Each structure stands twice: as C-alpha cells, then as structure tokens.
Amino acid sequence: MSIALRYFDGRGFMEVPRMLLALNGKYPPNDYEDGRFGVIPDSFEANLGRMPVLKIGDESIGQSSAINFYLASEFGLMGSSTLEAAKIIAIEESVKELATAFRTLLPYGVTPTEELFNTWFDGGATDDSGPADVSKRAERYLTW
C-alpha cells in the first residue's frame, strides 16, 4: 500500500501525521511520499481540490483532523475505547483552537513583536475557572 502526504511546504497541519508515521518506523522517501507543494497541483481529486491530503493507495483523505484520526487509528494510537478516542480528539481540537487564537492575534506574514508575545502569554480573558464568559471569547489567548 502506497502512502503520500500532499500539503503546503511549511510547518503546520502535517507535522502530526509525519510524527505518527515516524513513530511507526515510516520515513520518506522509502516508506511514503512527502509531497510538499508551493501551489496546489491540478490533479487533486479529494478535499475539494485543497490541501492537505493523505493518499492511501487509490483512496484520498482530506482535512488534517481526518488524516490524524486515520493514521492514529491504523497505528493503534486512538486509545482502547471510543471514550478514550473522543478524549484524544478533544485534545486535538483544543490545540487547534489555540492555534486559531494565536493566528488571529499574529497572522501569517506579520512580524512578531514583544508586545504581541506579551499579549499572547500574559493577556486576554481572565475567566480561567468556573463557567466561561462568552463575551471575552475574542480575547482568548494562551491564558484560556
């Protein structure tokens, strides 16, 4: 069975799948194709023509969460029950929410400043216990 990752050339959503493959002794170029692209190739038939995509033989899976789930499941890393699997997915979703909050504060292409890092690490909402104050949702940084 051939495996190929197709994604934009840069750190991001495919780091987890690459680590899952490495944890299971699979490394490019012998065990899988590590396809990093600067632009989307014309030949994408999955994920509505967008990246990232995991190709397994003749099949394709799009979306990073689905790719992570598939590989983790195949390698026996999704827990021993559906409850454990759900908890693992919840952690992944929390990390994605943090990444979204970070990129809202510091979009790609913006040069980081000490002020932005101070806001990320020390600023934001302070309702870190009890019910969340939804009015502070836009101010959720690392101090969730």
Side-chain angles (χ1 to χ4, degrees):
M1 162 178 64
S2 64
I3 300 172
L5 293 176
R6 307 279 168 91
Y7 59 100
F8 285 111
D9 188 16
R11 286 190 157 180
F13 294 125
M14 288 298 96
E15 292 301 310
V16 171
R18 287 166 21 91
M19 286 185 228
L20 289 169
L21 288 161
L23 280 169
N24 285 278
K26 298 190 180 301
Y27 301 96
N30 297 330
D31 300 311
Y32 71 92
E33 177 189 338
D34 189 23
R36 301 174 192 211
F37 297 91
V39 296
I40 298 174
D42 292 334
S43 62
F44 271 21
E45 63 278 349
N47 200 30
L48 302 174
R50 301 174 299 178
M51 292 191 283
V53 170
L54 170 68
K55 290 189 64 79
I56 302 291
D58 294 335
E59 298 289 329
S60 296
I61 302 168
Q63 298 295 342
S64 57
S65 292
I67 293 167
N68 294 346
F69 175 80
Y70 173 81
L71 289 173
S73 295
E74 286 295 303
F75 297 139
L77 299 172
M78 283 304 294
S80 60
S81 69
T82 53
L83 180 59
E84 285 182 4
K87 289 179 178 182
I88 292 166
I89 293 168
I91 291 167
E92 177 190 27
E93 290 300 313
S94 293
V95 170
K96 283 176 72 173
E97 287 179 9
L98 279 172
T100 299
F102 183 75
R103 285 296 165 207
T104 299
L105 181 66
L106 184 65
Y108 287 104
V110 172
T111 302
T113 63
E114 186 173 346
E115 180 182 353
L116 284 173
F117 281 131
N118 287 341
T119 299
W120 173 252
F121 287 107
D122 302 321
T126 57
D127 58 332
D128 55 4
S129 64
D133 181 355
V134 295
S135 71
K136 306 282 187 186
R137 186 177 212 171
E139 301 172 28
R140 299 241 180 262
Y141 305 128
L142 188 60
T143 54
W144 204 260

